């Protein structure tokens, strides 16, 4: 028993030993057989980053970030638009203001983070387009591949038998495809010849046009922001404007724009013509709204005439002059206590509603002396209506935009206007902090409504102010220089066209194979495959098959169910 059991014990121990060795090998195998992968290195990481950056997914993410980044530029006041609003925001928000300033939210479009998104999107689109362009060129130079071995597996398939030979079928198919503007050729080795045709290459072209148009738009917008200039000017009838920086009421420009790039031209407002709907639900709606101007190009160019209308600007040497507003400038004459004229001018007032109700300020800075001979400044709050409703007919608001019944309401102050303090002041608002009211007999602020030709005499013989009959009209113009606007428009239309092509053009392939069967009759197989899912592919294949069938009509089917005649087997 001991001898016979020994081999078993030995075998068992051997198996245990073998398992032990195997276990040892298994435990050490991961260390001995672990793959020694090379590290990416600097070049590898650069390639990985470039592949990620030029992927369509990253391009879409950057485009989304660009859209989100533009939101603060619309909601938060910007320094390049209105610095006063930015300062007012910081004064009212002592906590958010400094935080927004550190995050460059007051200069969104010139900030580091917005520029980084913009540049990365630009690089991503270029890196995405260049390789796809070469692929598309290769597709145009190549030919559609031969027919698959089993056409029955394709989504659109048909077959029939014909007495025409395979060569005749292939020639008819080639002629048909070329007539339908397919790229077609005969492909395949001898014995498996087929006609391969393809159509819809403009789909990829539309895709490339769309992405190139996006780049054009990005470049145009960047150029427009960097080199643009935009300013506003209020001009009364008879007055003119020269395109120099000092002539603008307000002006803003891109960071790379120089004032020496202002186009040299000038124009004069000869007449403003405005007519309005007199009756019906659209009463007061402008029917004629145009400014007749005389302009000159260059410093000594000949004078020309032009009528500027809404959305029909005057274009001069790359600049556009838009008509954007209109109002009235009543003429007033101010006299001191001795009857001496100290001020006489048409004062433009700013409209506050669609019917021409306007407000403003009349400021007499020099020349006035009170009854004691002391120099003072005068100020009048002015409220003008071109068409007054009449005494006792509600509030003093205009009933119609045309000057049918003009009335000027004034309230008077004297003292210091504060214009010598060095702080910028709105010419259409009166700062009364250092001024004293003229008072009426009841001790209230002295004020009066005036018709054209009437005079308001100031209390105590302090002088008078007259509303003269010379009522002028004014117009506001926006002078813009936008070098990238045309390219942006071209890019927008190209993007729409390219997107439409990439969405609606379907790329598809069609094959025709004709093989002579054992009975001598040719079997025609025809199949189609779309690069994208389309319900029109079966219809198109059916139409092509019908035309090819007319040229290669069907052969009679063999009578496989015929009963043999009596004695045939004999």
């Amino acid at each position: 028993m001991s001898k016979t059991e020994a081999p078993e014990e030995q075998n068992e121990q051997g198996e245990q030993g073998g398992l032990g060795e195997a276990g040892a090998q298994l435990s050490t195998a991961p260390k001995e057989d672990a793959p020694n992968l090379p590290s990416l290195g600097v070049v590898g990481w650069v390639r990985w980053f470039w592949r990620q950056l030029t992927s369509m997914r990253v391009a879409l993410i950057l485009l989304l970030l660009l859209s989100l980044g533009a939101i603060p530029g619309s909601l938060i006041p910007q320094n390049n638009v209105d610095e006063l609003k930015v300062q007012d925001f910081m004064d009212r928000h002592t906590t958010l203001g400094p935080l927004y300033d550190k995050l460059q939210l007051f200069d969104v479009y010139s900030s580091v983070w917005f520029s980084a998104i913009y540049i990365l999107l630009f690089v991503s689109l270029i890196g995405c387009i260049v390789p796809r362009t070469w692929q598309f060129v290769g597709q145009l130079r190549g030919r559609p591949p031969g027919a698959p071995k089993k056409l029955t597996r394709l989504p659109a398939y048909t077959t029939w038998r014909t007495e025409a030979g395979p060569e005749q079928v292939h020639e008819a198919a080639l002629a048909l495809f070329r007539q339908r503007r397919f790229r077609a050729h005969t492909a395949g080795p001898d014995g498996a010849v087929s006609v391969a045709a393809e159509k819809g290459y403009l789909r990829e072209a539309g895709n490339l046009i769309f992405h190139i148009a996006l780049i054009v738009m990005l470049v145009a917008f960047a150029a427009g922001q960097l080199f643009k200039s935009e300013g506003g000017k209020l001009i009364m009838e008879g007055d003119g404007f020269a395109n120099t920086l000092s002539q603008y009421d307000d002006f803003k420009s891109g960071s790379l724009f120089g004032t020496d790039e202002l186009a040299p031209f000038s124009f004069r407002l000869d007449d403003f013509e405005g007519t309005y709907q007199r009756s019906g639900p659209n009463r007061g709606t402008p029917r004629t709204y145009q400014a007749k101007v005389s302009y000159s190009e260059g410093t000594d160019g000949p004078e020309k005439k032009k009528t500027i209308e809404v959305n029909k600007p005057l274009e001069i040497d790359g600049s556009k002059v838009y008509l954007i507003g209109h109002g009235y400038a009543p003429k007033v004459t101010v006299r001191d206590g001795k009857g001496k004229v100290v001020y006489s001018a048409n004062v433009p007032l700013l409209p506050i509603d669609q019917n021409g109700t306007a407000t403003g300020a009349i400021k007499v800075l020099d020349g006035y002396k009170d009854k004691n001979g002391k120099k003072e400044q005068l100020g009048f709050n002015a409220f003008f209506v071109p068409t007054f409703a009449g005494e006792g007919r509600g509030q003093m608001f205009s009933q119609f935009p045309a000057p049918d019944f003009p009335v000027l309401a004034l309230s008077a102050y004297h003292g210091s206007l504060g214009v010598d303090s060095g702080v910028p002041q709105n010419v259409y608002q009166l700062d009364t902090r250092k001024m004293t009211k003229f008072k009426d007999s009841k001790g209230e602020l002295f004020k009066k409504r005036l018709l054209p030709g009437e005079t308001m005499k100031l209390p105590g013989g302090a002088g008078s102010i007259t509303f003269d009959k010379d009522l002028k009209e004014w117009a506001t113009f926006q002078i813009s220089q936008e070098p990238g606007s045309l390219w942006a428009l071209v890019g927008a239309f190209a993007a729409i066209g390219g997107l439409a092509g990439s969405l609606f053009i379907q790329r598809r392939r069609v094959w025709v194979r004709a093989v002579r069967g054992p009975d001598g009759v040719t079997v025609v197989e025809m199949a189609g495959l779309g690069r994208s899912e389309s319900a029109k592919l079966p219809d198109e294949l059916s139409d092509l098959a019908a035309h090819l069938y007319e040229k290669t009509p069907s052969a009679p089917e063999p009578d496989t169910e015929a009963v043999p005649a009596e004695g045939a087997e004999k």
Side-chain angles (χ1 to χ4, degrees):
M1 291 291 293
S2 60
K3 292 182 179 180
T4 57
E5 288 178 359
E8 292 180 3
E9 291 175 359
Q10 211 170 21
N11 186 27
E12 190 174 63
Q13 290 173 359
E15 289 178 1
Q16 290 176 357
L19 287 173
E21 292 177 2
Q25 291 176 2
L26 286 174
S27 62
T28 59
K31 295 182 179 180
E32 295 177 358
D33 300 337
N36 187 16
L37 297 176
S39 60
L40 285 177
V42 177
V43 178
W45 280 110
V46 169
R47 288 178 178 175
W48 178 86
F49 178 78
W50 176 253
R51 290 194 188 99
Q52 298 301 316
L53 180 61
T54 56
S55 66
M56 186 56 62
R57 178 181 60 185
V58 172
L60 292 175
I61 292 174
L62 290 172
L63 190 60
L64 176 62
L65 291 177
L66 192 70
S67 303
L68 294 176
I71 293 177
S74 302
L75 300 179
I76 300 173
Q78 300 294 296
N79 278 318
N80 64 339
V81 176
D82 195 334
E83 293 183 0
L84 294 177
K85 285 186 177 180
V86 173
Q87 187 61 46
D88 180 65
F89 184 93
M90 294 189 70
D91 293 340
R92 289 186 291 107
H93 302 85
T94 55
T95 303
L96 284 178
L99 179 62
Y100 283 4
D101 190 34
K102 289 182 179 179
L103 296 176
Q104 298 181 302
L105 295 181
F106 296 122
D107 301 278
V108 168
Y109 303 110
S110 59
S111 63
V112 174
W113 54 270
F114 190 86
S115 301
I117 297 173
Y118 197 92
I119 294 172
L120 285 175
L121 177 60
F122 188 78
V123 174
S124 177
L125 288 174
I126 293 179
C128 182
I129 288 173
V130 171
R132 294 185 66 173
T133 302
W134 288 115
Q135 290 177 6
F136 180 61
V137 171
Q139 292 172 0
L140 290 178
R141 296 176 62 183
R143 289 185 172 188
K149 186 175 181 180
K150 294 185 179 181
L151 294 175
T152 54
R153 295 181 178 179
L154 300 183
Y157 174 83
T158 185
T159 182
W160 69 92
R161 292 158 51 87
T162 181
E163 294 179 347
E167 296 80 4
Q168 184 180 353
V169 174
H170 291 157
E171 291 177 2
L174 277 173
L176 176 62
F177 288 139
R178 289 168 180 170
Q179 183 182 0
R180 297 294 183 90
R181 297 190 299 277
F182 278 82
R183 294 180 60 199
H185 71 109
T186 303
D190 295 339
V193 176
S194 63
V195 175
E198 190 169 6
K199 193 176 184 181
Y201 284 93
L202 290 179
R203 177 186 178 89
E204 182 64 20
N207 201 358
L208 290 174
I209 290 173
F210 172 73
H211 288 85
I212 293 173
L214 285 182
I215 293 179
V216 172
M217 291 173 64
L218 289 174
V219 173
F221 286 142
Q225 291 296 321
L226 294 174
F227 297 98
K228 75 173 183 178
S229 68
E230 183 178 288
K233 180 65 177 177
L234 186 150
I235 304 175
M236 284 192 292
E237 291 175 328
D239 291 346
F241 167 81
N243 193 28
T244 58
L245 187 60
S246 60
Q247 290 276 299
Y248 284 94
D249 293 334
D250 58 85
F251 184 84
K252 58 184 180 180
S253 63
S255 57
L256 297 182
F257 180 84
T259 55
D260 55 341
E261 298 177 28
L262 289 171
F265 67 88
S266 60
F267 67 93
R268 181 182 67 252
L269 176 60
D270 297 327
D271 180 54
F272 182 87
E273 182 179 349
T275 60
Y276 308 91
Q277 180 71 29
R278 288 282 176 181
S279 60
N282 295 324
R283 184 176 184 270
T285 303
R287 294 304 178 194
T288 304
Y289 201 82
Q290 57 189 21
K292 297 180 180 180
V293 301
S294 301
Y295 70 97
S296 299
E297 298 184 47
T299 55
D300 55 355
E303 190 173 80
K304 302 176 184 179
K305 301 289 184 180
K306 174 71 175 181
T307 299
I308 304 176
E309 301 179 40
V310 178
N311 296 325
K312 293 183 179 179
L314 169 65
E315 299 187 25
I316 310 175
D317 194 16
S319 297
K320 293 184 179 180
V321 182
Y322 293 91
L323 172 64
I324 60 174
H326 159 258
Y328 295 96
K331 183 178 181 180
V332 295
T333 300
V334 181
R335 294 176 173 85
D336 61 13
K338 296 181 180 180
K340 178 184 175 182
V341 176
V342 296
Y343 182 86
S344 182
N346 288 85
V347 182
L349 304 177
L350 298 181
I352 60 174
D353 62 20
Q354 297 297 323
N355 285 327
T357 304
T359 63
I362 302 170
K363 302 179 182 181
V364 181
L365 303 178
D366 301 310
Y368 176 77
K369 296 180 180 180
D370 62 10
K371 57 184 178 181
N372 299 322
K374 180 182 177 182
K375 290 184 178 181
E376 276 192 317
Q377 294 175 334
L378 295 180
F380 301 88
N381 277 322
F383 195 89
F384 175 78
V385 289
T387 302
F388 185 45
E391 196 73 32
R393 296 185 180 179
Q395 296 179 342
M396 188 178 170
F397 284 95
S398 181
Q399 305 300 304
F400 195 72
D404 295 340
F405 187 12
V407 173
L408 179 65
L410 299 171
S411 58
Y413 296 82
H414 64 97
S416 174
L417 292 168
V419 295
D420 300 326
S421 63
V423 179
Q425 194 177 95
N426 192 328
V427 297
Y428 301 103
Q429 293 180 351
L430 191 64
D431 185 358
T432 60
R433 289 177 295 179
K434 297 182 180 180
M435 304 196 77
T436 305
K437 300 176 182 178
F438 280 104
K439 297 181 179 180
D440 57 15
S441 58
K442 298 180 180 180
E444 302 292 335
L445 175 63
F446 185 74
K447 53 187 176 181
K448 188 176 181 180
R449 293 173 181 168
L450 301 177
L451 296 175
E454 293 185 343
T455 300
M456 181 176 80
K457 293 184 178 181
L458 301 176
S464 65
I465 179 170
T466 302
F467 176 20
D468 296 330
K469 294 183 179 180
D470 183 17
L471 179 64
K472 286 187 177 182
E473 298 182 67
W474 55 260
T476 50
F477 298 90
Q478 177 180 298
I479 299 94
S480 302
Q481 194 168 335
E482 299 174 344
S485 57
L486 179 60
W487 284 106
L489 181 63
V490 172
F493 279 110
I496 294 173
L499 183 62
S502 64
L503 291 177
F504 298 110
I505 297 176
Q506 301 296 327
R507 189 175 174 188
R508 60 271 191 200
R509 290 171 178 169
V510 180
W511 292 275
V512 176
R513 179 187 291 151
V515 180
R516 193 177 297 278
D519 56 354
V521 178
T522 302
V523 178
V524 181
E525 290 183 291
M526 194 171 185
L529 177 65
R531 296 293 298 271
S532 59
E533 294 185 5
S534 174
K536 295 182 179 180
L537 180 62
D539 297 335
E540 185 176 25
L541 184 69
S542 176
D543 180 62
L544 291 170
H547 283 79
L548 185 60
Y549 182 82
E550 291 179 359
K551 298 179 180 180
T552 58
S554 177
E557 294 291 335
D559 192 5
T560 57
E561 298 181 359
V563 179
E566 288 188 20
E569 294 182 3
K570 297 179 182 180

